[in-house]
Amino acid sequence: MNRYNNVLACVTQQKSCERLIHKAATLKAENGTLYVIHVSKQKWNFLDNTRDGEAMEYLFSVCKSYGADLTVLNSDRVAETIAQFAQHYQVELIVIGETPEGQSNEFARKLQNLLEGSRIEIQVVAAEQVKSC
């Protein structure tokens, strides 16, 4: 199994995204760095939404258990923001979740197009591939 020095897990405001953090952590080299990012739309405010706030707080604690920080950015250009973050931090692998019902992942294709010409790999993780810890 390949190991990567800089791995980025992309999460939403759902506790089930723990599986993405776990998967990214298993792919990180021993002395590598794990980054976790959540990009929210400009008008979305999880501080006013108790359930989303609890999920983000939970994911924050999961990140800490893996020695990672959770970066939360506001942008209406989610894929572009993730691509810029990955390039800035010299990420080698981005881990994202599969869309509901395993549909083709348009987001993954958009992200791949934005990263064309870079050496950044994208791994899409299906819900059943990784159990929650």
Side-chain angles (χ1 to χ4, degrees):
M1 173 168 47
N2 285 346
R3 300 282 182 185
Y4 301 86
N5 288 319
N6 295 315
V7 180
L8 174 62
C10 301
V11 300
T12 61
Q13 67 279 8
Q14 300 172 2
K15 289 183 179 181
S16 62
C17 287
E18 173 184 9
R19 78 187 198 288
L20 302 175
I21 299 167
H22 172 75
K23 180 65 173 180
T26 65
L27 295 169
K28 178 186 72 69
E30 186 175 336
N31 293 322
T33 302
L34 173 61
Y35 299 97
V36 181
I37 189 172
H38 171 69
V39 181
S40 66
K41 299 281 186 168
Q42 291 285 349
K43 294 181 181 179
W44 183 74
N45 183 357
F46 66 85
L47 297 175
D48 291 335
N49 184 320
T50 304
R51 194 166 74 164
D52 289 348
E54 286 176 10
M56 292 305 291
E57 200 170 304
Y58 174 76
L59 292 174
F60 176 78
S61 68
V62 171
C63 289
K64 288 297 178 193
S65 73
Y66 286 105
D69 289 322
L70 173 60
T71 300
V72 178
L73 301 173
N74 283 55
S75 174
D76 288 330
R77 298 171 53 118
V78 176
E80 291 85 349
T81 301
I82 291 169
Q84 288 173 352
F85 184 95
Q87 290 169 332
H88 178 77
Y89 288 98
Q90 300 176 339
V91 167
E92 298 171 354
L93 175 69
I94 299 174
V95 176
I96 62 175
E98 187 175 53
T99 56
E101 290 84 41
Q103 302 165 357
S104 68
N105 198 328
E106 184 63 33
F107 181 78
R109 279 194 296 277
K110 183 176 184 176
L111 192 55
Q112 187 67 56
N113 287 338
L114 289 167
L115 296 169
E116 192 172 336
S118 75
R119 294 185 177 183
I120 300 172
E121 296 178 34
I122 298 173
Q123 182 169 350
V124 179
V125 178
E128 64 276 0
Q129 277 187 302
V130 179
K131 295 181 184 176
S132 293
C133 298

Coordinates of all heavy atoms in Angstrom, one line a residue, residues 18-105:
E18 N -16.0 10.7 9.7 CA -14.9 10.1 10.5 C -14.2 9.1 9.6 O -13.0 8.9 9.7 CB -15.5 9.5 11.8 CG -14.4 8.7 12.5 CD -15.0 8.1 13.8 OE1 -16.3 8.0 13.9 OE2 -14.2 7.5 14.6
R19 N -14.9 8.3 8.8 CA -14.3 7.3 8.0 C -13.3 7.8 7.0 O -12.3 7.2 6.7 CB -15.4 6.5 7.3 CG -16.0 7.2 6.0 CD -17.2 6.4 5.4 NE -17.5 6.8 4.1 CZ -18.0 8.0 3.7 NH1 -18.3 8.9 4.6 NH2 -18.3 8.3 2.5
L20 N -13.5 9.1 6.6 CA -12.6 9.7 5.6 C -11.3 10.1 6.3 O -10.2 9.9 5.8 CB -13.2 10.9 5.0 CG -14.5 10.6 4.2 CD1 -15.1 11.9 3.7 CD2 -14.3 9.6 3.1
I21 N -11.4 10.6 7.6 CA -10.2 10.9 8.3 C -9.4 9.7 8.7 O -8.2 9.7 8.5 CB -10.7 11.7 9.6 CG1 -11.4 13.0 9.3 CG2 -9.5 12.0 10.5 CD1 -12.1 13.6 10.5
H22 N -10.1 8.6 9.1 CA -9.5 7.4 9.4 C -8.7 6.8 8.1 O -7.6 6.4 8.2 CB -10.5 6.3 9.9 CG -9.9 5.0 10.0 ND1 -9.1 4.6 11.1 CD2 -10.1 3.9 9.3 CE1 -8.8 3.4 11.0 NE2 -9.3 2.9 9.9
K23 N -9.4 6.8 7.0 CA -8.8 6.3 5.8 C -7.6 7.1 5.4 O -6.5 6.5 5.1 CB -9.8 6.3 4.6 CG -9.3 5.8 3.3 CD -8.9 4.3 3.4 CE -8.5 3.7 2.1 NZ -8.2 2.3 2.1
A24 N -7.7 8.4 5.5 CA -6.5 9.3 5.2 C -5.4 9.0 6.1 O -4.2 9.0 5.7 CB -6.9 10.8 5.2
A25 N -5.7 8.8 7.4 CA -4.6 8.6 8.4 C -3.9 7.2 8.1 O -2.7 7.1 8.3 CB -5.2 8.5 9.8
T26 N -4.6 6.2 7.6 CA -4.0 5.0 7.2 C -3.1 5.1 6.0 O -2.2 4.2 5.8 CB -5.0 3.8 7.0 OG1 -5.8 4.1 5.8 CG2 -5.9 3.6 8.2
L27 N -3.3 6.1 5.2 CA -2.5 6.3 4.0 C -1.3 7.2 4.1 O -0.5 7.4 3.2 CB -3.4 6.7 2.8 CG -4.5 5.7 2.4 CD1 -5.5 6.4 1.5 CD2 -3.8 4.5 1.8
K28 N -1.3 7.9 5.3 CA -0.2 8.8 5.6 C 1.1 8.1 6.0 O 1.0 7.1 6.7 CB -0.7 9.8 6.7 CG 0.3 10.8 7.2 CD -0.2 11.5 8.4 CE -0.2 10.7 9.6 NZ 1.1 10.4 10.2
A29 N 2.2 8.6 5.5 CA 3.5 8.0 5.9 C 3.7 8.3 7.4 O 3.1 9.2 8.0 CB 4.6 8.7 5.1
E30 N 4.5 7.5 8.0 CA 4.8 7.6 9.5 C 5.1 9.0 9.9 O 4.6 9.5 10.9 CB 5.9 6.6 9.9 CG 6.0 6.6 11.4 CD 7.1 5.5 11.8 OE1 7.3 4.6 11.1 OE2 7.6 5.7 12.9
N31 N 5.9 9.7 9.2 CA 6.3 11.1 9.6 C 5.6 12.1 8.7 O 6.0 13.3 8.7 CB 7.8 11.2 9.5 CG 8.6 10.4 10.5 OD1 8.1 10.3 11.7 ND2 9.7 9.8 10.1
G32 N 4.5 11.7 8.1 CA 3.8 12.6 7.2 C 2.8 13.5 8.0 O 2.8 13.4 9.2
T33 N 2.1 14.3 7.2 CA 1.2 15.2 7.8 C -0.2 14.9 7.3 O -0.4 14.7 6.1 CB 1.6 16.7 7.5 OG1 2.9 16.9 7.9 CG2 0.6 17.7 8.1
L34 N -1.2 14.9 8.2 CA -2.6 14.7 7.9 C -3.3 16.1 8.0 O -3.2 16.7 9.1 CB -3.2 13.7 8.8 CG -4.7 13.5 8.6 CD1 -5.1 13.0 7.2 CD2 -5.2 12.5 9.7
Y35 N -3.9 16.5 6.9 CA -4.7 17.7 6.9 C -6.2 17.3 6.8 O -6.5 16.4 6.1 CB -4.3 18.6 5.7 CG -2.9 19.1 5.7 CD1 -1.9 18.4 5.0 CD2 -2.5 20.2 6.5 CE1 -0.6 18.9 5.0 CE2 -1.2 20.7 6.5 CZ -0.3 20.0 5.7 OH 1.0 20.5 5.7
V36 N -7.0 18.0 7.4 CA -8.5 17.8 7.3 C -9.1 19.2 7.0 O -8.8 20.1 7.7 CB -9.1 17.2 8.6 CG1 -10.6 16.9 8.3 CG2 -8.4 15.9 8.9
I37 N -10.0 19.2 6.0 CA -10.6 20.5 5.6 C -12.1 20.3 5.4 O -12.6 19.3 5.0 CB -9.9 21.0 4.3 CG1 -10.4 22.4 4.0 CG2 -10.2 20.1 3.1 CD1 -9.7 23.1 2.8
H38 N -12.8 21.4 5.8 CA -14.2 21.5 5.5 C -14.4 22.8 4.9 O -14.0 23.9 5.4 CB -15.1 21.4 6.8 CG -16.5 21.7 6.5 ND1 -17.3 20.9 5.8 CD2 -17.2 22.8 6.9 CE1 -18.5 21.5 5.7 NE2 -18.5 22.6 6.4
V39 N -15.0 22.9 3.7 CA -15.3 24.1 3.0 C -16.8 24.3 3.0 O -17.5 23.5 2.4 CB -14.7 24.1 1.6 CG1 -15.0 25.5 0.9 CG2 -13.2 23.9 1.5
S40 N -17.2 25.4 3.7 CA -18.6 25.6 3.7 C -19.0 26.8 2.8 O -18.1 27.7 2.6 CB -19.1 26.0 5.2 OG -18.5 27.2 5.6
K41 N -20.2 26.8 2.3 CA -20.7 27.9 1.5 C -20.7 29.1 2.3 O -20.9 29.1 3.5 CB -22.1 27.5 1.0 CG -22.1 26.3 0.1 CD -21.6 26.6 -1.3 CE -21.8 25.4 -2.2 NZ -21.6 25.6 -3.5
Q42 N -20.6 30.3 1.7 CA -20.5 31.6 2.3 C -21.6 31.8 3.3 O -21.4 32.4 4.4 CB -20.4 32.7 1.3 CG -19.2 32.7 0.5 CD -18.0 33.3 1.3 OE1 -18.1 33.8 2.3 NE2 -16.8 33.1 0.7
K43 N -22.8 31.5 2.9 CA -24.0 31.8 3.8 C -24.3 30.8 4.9 O -25.1 31.0 5.7 CB -25.2 32.0 2.9 CG -25.1 33.2 2.0 CD -26.3 33.4 1.2 CE -26.1 34.6 0.3 NZ -27.3 34.8 -0.6
W44 N -23.5 29.6 4.9 CA -23.8 28.6 5.8 C -23.1 28.9 7.1 O -21.9 29.2 7.2 CB -23.3 27.2 5.3 CG -23.6 26.1 6.2 CD1 -24.8 25.5 6.4 CD2 -22.7 25.4 7.0 NE1 -24.7 24.5 7.3 CE2 -23.4 24.4 7.7 CE3 -21.3 25.5 7.2 CZ2 -22.8 23.5 8.5 CZ3 -20.7 24.6 8.1 CH2 -21.4 23.6 8.7
N45 N -23.8 28.8 8.3 CA -23.2 29.1 9.6 C -23.5 27.9 10.5 O -24.6 27.8 11.0 CB -23.8 30.4 10.1 CG -23.1 30.8 11.4 OD1 -22.3 30.0 12.0 ND2 -23.5 31.9 11.9
F46 N -22.6 27.0 10.7 CA -22.9 25.9 11.6 C -23.0 26.2 13.1 O -23.5 25.5 13.9 CB -21.8 24.7 11.4 CG -20.4 25.0 11.8 CD1 -20.0 24.9 13.1 CD2 -19.5 25.5 10.9 CE1 -18.7 25.1 13.5 CE2 -18.2 25.7 11.3 CZ -17.8 25.6 12.6
L47 N -22.5 27.4 13.4 CA -22.6 27.9 14.8 C -24.1 28.1 15.2 O -24.4 28.0 16.4 CB -21.8 29.2 15.0 CG -20.3 29.0 14.8 CD1 -19.6 30.4 14.9 CD2 -19.7 28.0 15.8
D48 N -24.9 28.4 14.3 CA -26.4 28.5 14.6 C -27.2 27.3 14.4 O -28.4 27.3 14.6 CB -26.9 29.6 13.6 CG -26.4 31.0 14.0 OD1 -26.0 31.2 15.2 OD2 -26.4 31.9 13.1
N49 N -26.5 26.2 14.0 CA -27.2 24.9 13.8 C -26.6 23.9 14.7 O -25.5 23.4 14.6 CB -27.0 24.5 12.3 CG -27.8 23.2 12.0 OD1 -27.8 22.3 12.8 ND2 -28.4 23.1 10.8
T50 N -27.4 23.6 15.7 CA -26.9 22.7 16.8 C -26.4 21.4 16.3 O -25.3 20.9 16.7 CB -28.0 22.5 17.9 OG1 -28.4 23.7 18.3 CG2 -27.5 21.7 19.0
R51 N -27.1 20.7 15.4 CA -26.7 19.4 15.0 C -25.4 19.4 14.1 O -24.5 18.6 14.3 CB -27.8 18.7 14.2 CG -27.6 17.2 14.0 CD -28.8 16.5 13.5 NE -29.1 16.9 12.1 CZ -29.9 16.2 11.3 NH1 -30.5 15.2 11.8 NH2 -30.0 16.5 10.1
D52 N -25.4 20.4 13.2 CA -24.1 20.5 12.4 C -23.0 20.9 13.3 O -21.8 20.5 13.1 CB -24.3 21.6 11.3 CG -25.3 21.1 10.2 OD1 -25.6 19.9 10.2 OD2 -25.7 21.9 9.4
G53 N -23.2 21.8 14.3 CA -22.2 22.2 15.2 C -21.6 21.1 16.0 O -20.4 20.9 16.2
E54 N -22.5 20.2 16.4 CA -22.1 19.0 17.2 C -21.3 18.1 16.3 O -20.3 17.5 16.7 CB -23.3 18.2 17.7 CG -24.0 18.9 18.9 CD -25.3 18.1 19.3 OE1 -25.5 17.0 18.8 OE2 -26.0 18.7 20.1
A55 N -21.7 17.9 15.0 CA -20.9 17.1 14.1 C -19.5 17.6 13.9 O -18.5 16.9 13.9 CB -21.7 16.9 12.8
M56 N -19.4 18.9 13.7 CA -18.1 19.5 13.5 C -17.2 19.4 14.7 O -16.0 19.2 14.6 CB -18.3 21.0 13.0 CG -18.9 21.2 11.7 SD -18.0 20.3 10.3 CE -16.5 21.2 10.2
E57 N -17.9 19.6 15.9 CA -17.1 19.4 17.1 C -16.6 18.0 17.3 O -15.5 17.7 17.7 CB -18.0 19.8 18.3 CG -17.3 20.1 19.6 CD -18.2 20.7 20.6 OE1 -18.9 21.7 20.3 OE2 -18.2 20.1 21.7
Y58 N -17.4 17.0 16.9 CA -17.0 15.6 16.9 C -15.9 15.4 16.0 O -14.9 14.7 16.3 CB -18.2 14.7 16.6 CG -17.9 13.3 16.4 CD1 -17.6 12.5 17.6 CD2 -17.8 12.7 15.2 CE1 -17.3 11.2 17.5 CE2 -17.4 11.3 15.1 CZ -17.2 10.6 16.2 OH -16.8 9.3 16.1
L59 N -16.0 15.9 14.7 CA -14.9 15.7 13.8 C -13.6 16.4 14.2 O -12.5 15.9 14.0 CB -15.3 16.2 12.4 CG -16.5 15.4 11.7 CD1 -16.9 16.1 10.4 CD2 -16.0 14.0 11.5
F60 N -13.8 17.5 14.9 CA -12.6 18.2 15.4 C -11.9 17.3 16.4 O -10.6 17.1 16.4 CB -13.0 19.5 16.1 CG -11.9 20.2 16.8 CD1 -11.0 20.9 16.0 CD2 -11.7 20.1 18.2 CE1 -9.9 21.6 16.7 CE2 -10.7 20.8 18.8 CZ -9.8 21.5 18.0
S61 N -12.6 16.6 17.3 CA -12.0 15.7 18.3 C -11.4 14.5 17.6 O -10.3 14.0 18.0 CB -13.0 15.2 19.3 OG -14.0 14.4 18.8
V62 N -12.0 14.0 16.5 CA -11.4 12.9 15.7 C -10.1 13.3 15.1 O -9.1 12.6 15.2 CB -12.4 12.4 14.6 CG1 -11.8 11.4 13.7 CG2 -13.7 11.8 15.3
C63 N -10.1 14.5 14.6 CA -8.9 15.0 14.0 C -7.7 15.0 15.0 O -6.6 14.6 14.7 CB -9.1 16.4 13.4 SG -10.1 16.5 12.0
K64 N -8.1 15.5 16.2 CA -7.1 15.6 17.3 C -6.5 14.2 17.6 O -5.3 14.1 17.9 CB -7.6 16.3 18.5 CG -7.8 17.8 18.3 CD -6.5 18.5 18.1 CE -6.7 19.9 17.9 NZ -5.5 20.6 17.3
S65 N -7.4 13.2 17.6 CA -6.9 11.9 18.0 C -5.9 11.3 16.9 O -5.2 10.4 17.2 CB -8.1 10.9 18.1 OG -8.7 10.6 16.8
Y66 N -6.0 11.9 15.7 CA -5.0 11.5 14.7 C -3.9 12.5 14.5 O -3.1 12.4 13.6 CB -5.7 11.3 13.3 CG -6.5 10.1 13.2 CD1 -7.9 10.1 13.3 CD2 -6.0 8.8 13.1 CE1 -8.7 9.0 13.2 CE2 -6.7 7.7 13.0 CZ -8.1 7.8 13.1 OH -8.9 6.6 13.0
G67 N -3.8 13.5 15.4 CA -2.7 14.5 15.3 C -2.9 15.5 14.2 O -1.9 16.1 13.7
A68 N -4.1 15.7 13.8 CA -4.4 16.6 12.7 C -5.2 17.8 13.2 O -5.9 17.7 14.2 CB -5.2 15.9 11.6
D69 N -5.2 18.9 12.4 CA -6.0 20.0 12.7 C -7.2 20.0 11.6 O -7.0 19.6 10.5 CB -5.2 21.3 12.5 CG -4.2 21.5 13.7 OD1 -4.6 21.2 14.8 OD2 -3.1 22.0 13.4
L70 N -8.3 20.5 12.0 CA -9.4 20.7 11.1 C -9.5 22.1 10.7 O -9.6 23.0 11.5 CB -10.7 20.3 11.9 CG -12.0 20.6 11.1 CD1 -12.1 19.8 9.8 CD2 -13.2 20.2 12.0
T71 N -9.3 22.4 9.4 CA -9.4 23.7 8.8 C -10.8 23.9 8.2 O -11.2 23.1 7.4 CB -8.3 23.9 7.7 OG1 -7.0 23.7 8.3 CG2 -8.4 25.2 7.1
V72 N -11.5 25.0 8.7 CA -12.8 25.3 8.1 C -12.6 26.6 7.3 O -12.2 27.6 7.9 CB -13.8 25.4 9.3 CG1 -15.2 25.8 8.7 CG2 -13.9 24.2 10.1
L73 N -13.0 26.5 6.1 CA -12.9 27.7 5.2 C -14.3 28.0 4.6 O -15.1 27.0 4.4 CB -11.9 27.5 4.1 CG -10.5 27.2 4.5 CD1 -9.6 26.8 3.3 CD2 -9.9 28.4 5.2
N74 N -14.6 29.2 4.4 CA -15.9 29.6 3.7 C -15.6 30.0 2.3 O -14.7 30.9 2.0 CB -16.5 30.8 4.5 CG -17.1 30.4 5.7 OD1 -16.5 29.8 6.6 ND2 -18.4 30.7 5.9
S75 N -16.3 29.4 1.4 CA -16.2 29.7 0.0 C -17.3 29.1 -0.8 O -17.7 28.0 -0.5 CB -14.8 29.2 -0.6 OG -14.8 29.4 -2.0
D76 N -17.8 29.8 -1.8 CA -18.8 29.2 -2.7 C -18.2 28.4 -3.8 O -18.8 27.7 -4.6 CB -19.7 30.3 -3.3 CG -20.6 31.0 -2.3 OD1 -21.0 30.3 -1.3 OD2 -20.9 32.2 -2.4
R77 N -16.8 28.4 -3.9 CA -16.1 27.7 -4.9 C -15.3 26.5 -4.1 O -14.1 26.6 -4.0 CB -15.2 28.6 -5.6 CG -15.9 29.7 -6.4 CD -15.0 30.7 -6.9 NE -13.9 30.2 -7.7 CZ -13.7 30.4 -9.0 NH1 -14.5 31.2 -9.6 NH2 -12.7 29.8 -9.6
V78 N -16.1 25.5 -3.7 CA -15.6 24.5 -2.9 C -14.4 23.7 -3.5 O -13.3 23.6 -2.9 CB -16.7 23.5 -2.5 CG1 -16.1 22.3 -1.6 CG2 -17.8 24.2 -1.7
A79 N -14.6 23.2 -4.7 CA -13.5 22.4 -5.4 C -12.3 23.3 -5.6 O -11.2 22.8 -5.3 CB -14.0 21.9 -6.7
E80 N -12.5 24.5 -6.0 CA -11.3 25.4 -6.2 C -10.6 25.7 -4.9 O -9.3 25.7 -4.9 CB -11.8 26.7 -6.9 CG -12.3 26.6 -8.3 CD -13.7 26.2 -8.4 OE1 -14.4 25.8 -7.4 OE2 -14.3 26.2 -9.5
T81 N -11.3 25.9 -3.9 CA -10.7 26.1 -2.6 C -9.9 24.9 -2.1 O -8.7 25.1 -1.6 CB -11.8 26.5 -1.5 OG1 -12.4 27.7 -2.0 CG2 -11.2 26.8 -0.2
I82 N -10.4 23.7 -2.3 CA -9.7 22.5 -1.9 C -8.5 22.3 -2.7 O -7.4 22.0 -2.2 CB -10.6 21.3 -2.0 CG1 -11.7 21.4 -0.9 CG2 -9.8 20.0 -1.9 CD1 -12.8 20.3 -1.1
A83 N -8.6 22.6 -4.0 CA -7.4 22.4 -4.9 C -6.3 23.4 -4.5 O -5.1 23.0 -4.5 CB -7.8 22.7 -6.4
Q84 N -6.7 24.7 -4.2 CA -5.7 25.7 -3.8 C -5.0 25.3 -2.5 O -3.8 25.4 -2.3 CB -6.3 27.0 -3.7 CG -6.7 27.7 -5.0 CD -7.5 28.9 -4.8 OE1 -7.9 29.3 -3.7 NE2 -7.7 29.6 -5.9
F85 N -5.8 24.8 -1.5 CA -5.3 24.3 -0.2 C -4.3 23.2 -0.5 O -3.2 23.2 0.1 CB -6.4 23.9 0.7 CG -6.0 23.5 2.0 CD1 -6.1 24.4 3.1 CD2 -5.6 22.2 2.3 CE1 -5.7 24.0 4.4 CE2 -5.2 21.8 3.6 CZ -5.3 22.7 4.6
A86 N -4.7 22.2 -1.3 CA -3.8 21.0 -1.5 C -2.5 21.5 -2.2 O -1.4 21.0 -1.8 CB -4.6 20.0 -2.4
Q87 N -2.6 22.4 -3.1 CA -1.3 22.8 -3.8 C -0.5 23.6 -2.8 O 0.8 23.4 -2.8 CB -1.7 23.6 -5.0 CG -2.3 22.8 -6.1 CD -2.9 23.5 -7.3 OE1 -3.3 24.6 -7.1 NE2 -2.9 22.9 -8.4
H88 N -1.1 24.5 -2.0 CA -0.3 25.3 -1.1 C 0.4 24.4 -0.1 O 1.6 24.7 0.3 CB -1.3 26.2 -0.3 CG -0.6 27.1 0.7 ND1 0.2 28.2 0.3 CD2 -0.5 27.0 2.0 CE1 0.7 28.7 1.5 NE2 0.3 28.0 2.5
Y89 N -0.2 23.3 0.4 CA 0.4 22.5 1.4 C 1.1 21.3 0.8 O 1.5 20.3 1.6 CB -0.6 22.1 2.5 CG -1.0 23.2 3.4 CD1 -2.1 24.0 3.2 CD2 -0.2 23.6 4.4 CE1 -2.5 25.0 4.0 CE2 -0.5 24.7 5.2 CZ -1.6 25.4 5.0 OH -2.0 26.5 5.8
Q90 N 1.3 21.3 -0.5 CA 2.0 20.2 -1.2 C 1.5 18.8 -0.8 O 2.2 17.8 -0.6 CB 3.5 20.3 -0.9 CG 4.1 21.6 -1.3 CD 5.6 21.7 -0.9 OE1 6.1 21.0 0.0 NE2 6.3 22.6 -1.6
V91 N 0.1 18.7 -0.9 CA -0.6 17.5 -0.6 C -0.3 16.5 -1.8 O -0.3 16.9 -2.9 CB -2.1 17.8 -0.4 CG1 -2.9 16.5 -0.5 CG2 -2.3 18.5 0.9
E92 N -0.1 15.3 -1.4 CA 0.1 14.2 -2.4 C -1.2 13.4 -2.7 O -1.3 12.8 -3.8 CB 1.2 13.3 -2.0 CG 2.5 14.0 -1.8 CD 3.6 13.2 -1.2 OE1 3.3 12.0 -0.7 OE2 4.7 13.6 -1.1
L93 N -2.1 13.4 -1.7 CA -3.3 12.6 -1.8 C -4.4 13.3 -1.2 O -4.3 13.8 0.0 CB -3.1 11.2 -1.2 CG -4.4 10.3 -1.2 CD1 -4.7 9.8 -2.6 CD2 -4.2 9.1 -0.2
I94 N -5.6 13.4 -1.9 CA -6.8 13.9 -1.3 C -7.8 12.8 -1.2 O -8.0 12.0 -2.2 CB -7.4 15.0 -2.3 CG1 -6.4 16.2 -2.4 CG2 -8.7 15.5 -1.7 CD1 -6.8 17.2 -3.4
V95 N -8.4 12.7 0.0 CA -9.4 11.6 0.3 C -10.7 12.3 0.4 O -10.9 13.2 1.2 CB -9.0 10.9 1.6 CG1 -10.1 9.9 1.9 CG2 -7.7 10.2 1.4
I96 N -11.7 11.9 -0.5 CA -13.0 12.4 -0.4 C -14.0 11.3 -0.4 O -13.7 10.1 -0.7 CB -13.3 13.3 -1.7 CG1 -13.3 12.5 -3.0 CG2 -12.4 14.5 -1.7 CD1 -13.7 13.3 -4.2
G97 N -15.2 11.6 0.1 CA -16.3 10.6 0.2 C -17.1 10.4 -1.1 O -17.2 11.4 -1.9
E98 N -17.6 9.3 -1.3 CA -18.4 9.0 -2.5 C -19.8 9.7 -2.3 O -20.3 9.8 -1.2 CB -18.6 7.5 -2.6 CG -19.4 7.0 -3.8 CD -19.4 5.5 -3.9 OE1 -19.9 4.9 -2.9 OE2 -19.0 5.0 -4.9
T99 N -20.4 10.1 -3.4 CA -21.7 10.7 -3.4 C -22.7 9.6 -2.9 O -22.5 8.4 -3.0 CB -22.1 11.3 -4.7 OG1 -22.0 10.2 -5.7 CG2 -21.2 12.4 -5.1
P100 N -23.9 10.1 -2.5 CA -24.9 9.1 -2.0 C -25.3 8.1 -3.1 O -25.3 8.4 -4.3 CB -26.2 10.0 -1.7 CG -25.6 11.3 -1.4 CD -24.3 11.4 -2.3
E101 N -25.6 6.9 -2.7 CA -26.0 5.8 -3.6 C -24.9 5.4 -4.6 O -25.2 4.8 -5.6 CB -27.3 6.0 -4.3 CG -28.5 6.0 -3.4 CD -28.7 7.3 -2.7 OE1 -28.6 8.4 -3.3 OE2 -29.1 7.3 -1.5
G102 N -23.6 5.8 -4.3 CA -22.5 5.5 -5.2 C -22.6 6.0 -6.6 O -22.0 5.5 -7.5
Q103 N -23.4 7.1 -6.8 CA -23.5 7.8 -8.1 C -22.1 8.2 -8.6 O -21.2 8.4 -7.8 CB -24.4 9.0 -8.0 CG -25.8 8.7 -7.5 CD -26.5 9.9 -7.1 OE1 -26.0 11.0 -7.1 NE2 -27.8 9.7 -6.7
S104 N -22.0 8.5 -9.9 CA -20.7 8.9 -10.4 C -20.4 10.2 -9.7 O -21.3 11.0 -9.4 CB -20.7 9.1 -11.9 OG -21.6 10.2 -12.2
N105 N -19.1 10.4 -9.3 CA -18.8 11.6 -8.5 C -18.3 12.7 -9.3 O -17.2 12.8 -9.7 CB -17.7 11.1 -7.5 CG -17.6 12.1 -6.3 OD1 -17.8 13.3 -6.5 ND2 -17.2 11.5 -5.2

